[in-house]
Amino acid sequence: MTQILDLNTWSRKDHFHFFSQFEEPFFGVTVNVDCTIAYATAKAKGISFFLHYLHKSLQAANYVPSFRYRIVEDQVWIYDQVNASPTIGRADGSFGFSYMDYHEDFSEFKVIAEKEMETVRNSTSLFPAGSGDCVIHYSALPWVDFTSMSHARSFTFADSNPKISFGKLTESEGKRTMPVSIHVHHALMDGFHVGQFIERFQELLNEA
């Protein structure tokens, strides 16, 4: 379900109208998150580290209301939940876009995600799956310990979905960290809201 945000009572009304006029309304940050506990937990449970942190990031995104906001025909729609549209790599080095519904329970999410990953890997299409309106565009670059990130974008295509990218997991003195790039639409949120997401994501990664 969705509801339409009343712009007239929204404290960010002016921000919305201002940044909506930009050719490039997205802004981004790159941070390093501590994955020491998350990696150990995934390995101890015998589950995919990728799916483990992907699910944690969806939990964090659904926790912050602005990550569920989308611009539809000059209105702000509030969705009940945000889902995932991650890129899935194939053995030949190509990738395809996937779609995974969010479930708070990891075991339910895991079943859906693994089935979707198998579908993409057995396809040669860039778009083997459909996608909902309220998603986060995810990508993973497990080969690169990046410090910044940019994205290919078509400015003529209406898009207000956040874009989150995960980099290479590295270890130093027993601590495992991973770079995370977060790009969001400035008409829908500010640095404060991105900070809320990062804080919540780190809290979830620290859960054993």
Side-chain angles (χ1 to χ4, degrees):
M1 291 182 62
T2 60
Q3 58 179 309
I4 296 176
L5 182 68
D6 185 350
L7 295 177
N8 291 320
T9 61
W10 191 23
S11 62
R12 296 191 69 262
K13 173 185 175 181
D14 290 347
H15 304 69
F16 172 78
H17 289 303
F18 180 69
F19 289 111
S20 291
Q21 307 306 311
F22 281 34
E23 289 83 4
E24 171 55 296
F26 279 76
F27 75 95
V29 300
T30 300
V31 298
N32 280 304
V33 294
D34 187 339
C35 295
T36 309
I37 296 174
Y39 183 81
T41 299
K43 292 305 176 184
K45 293 182 177 180
I47 59 177
S48 162
F49 176 56
F50 168 69
L51 289 184
H52 183 65
Y53 71 67
L54 179 64
H55 185 254
K56 298 293 187 185
S57 73
L58 276 173
Q59 281 184 297
N62 278 282
Y63 174 79
V64 181
S66 55
F67 275 76
R68 294 185 279 106
Y69 291 1
R70 297 294 180 272
I71 301 173
V72 181
E73 297 179 350
D74 299 323
Q75 295 179 316
V76 177
W77 288 19
I78 307 173
Y79 286 80
D80 285 344
Q81 74 174 38
V82 60
N83 302 303
S85 181
T87 56
I88 302 299
R90 302 188 178 103
D92 64 359
S94 68
F95 70 87
F97 295 110
S98 67
Y99 174 77
M100 302 172 183
D101 276 328
Y102 169 68
H103 287 273
E104 186 173 356
D105 181 80
F106 176 76
S107 60
E108 292 184 52
F109 173 76
K110 178 174 177 289
V111 171
I112 293 174
E114 288 180 339
K115 182 179 180 180
E116 181 71 0
M117 291 170 69
E118 187 67 18
T119 297
V120 174
R121 287 169 176 161
N122 289 329
S123 169
T124 58
S125 172
L126 181 60
F127 300 97
S131 178
D133 294 324
C134 188
V135 297
I136 290 177
H137 295 148
Y138 284 105
S139 57
L141 289 80
W143 322 275
V144 183
D145 183 20
F146 58 75
T147 57
S148 66
M149 169 77 69
S150 64
H151 293 274
R153 284 202 352 102
S154 172
F155 293 153
T156 60
F157 179 74
D159 178 21
S160 57
N161 293 292
K163 298 156 199 333
I164 299 178
S165 302
F166 305 102
K168 182 179 182 180
L169 184 71
T170 60
E171 181 179 4
S172 177
E173 299 180 352
K175 181 178 180 179
R176 297 180 187 271
T177 60
M178 179 176 67
V180 180
S181 169
I182 305 157
H183 281 75
V184 296
H185 200 297
H186 214 341
L188 297 178
M189 69 180 90
D190 306 311
F192 170 76
H193 307 98
V194 174
Q196 286 183 313
F197 167 82
I198 294 169
E199 181 179 20
R200 183 58 182 155
F201 185 34
Q202 185 62 73
E203 289 174 350
L204 293 166
L205 289 173
N206 289 342
E207 291 181 353

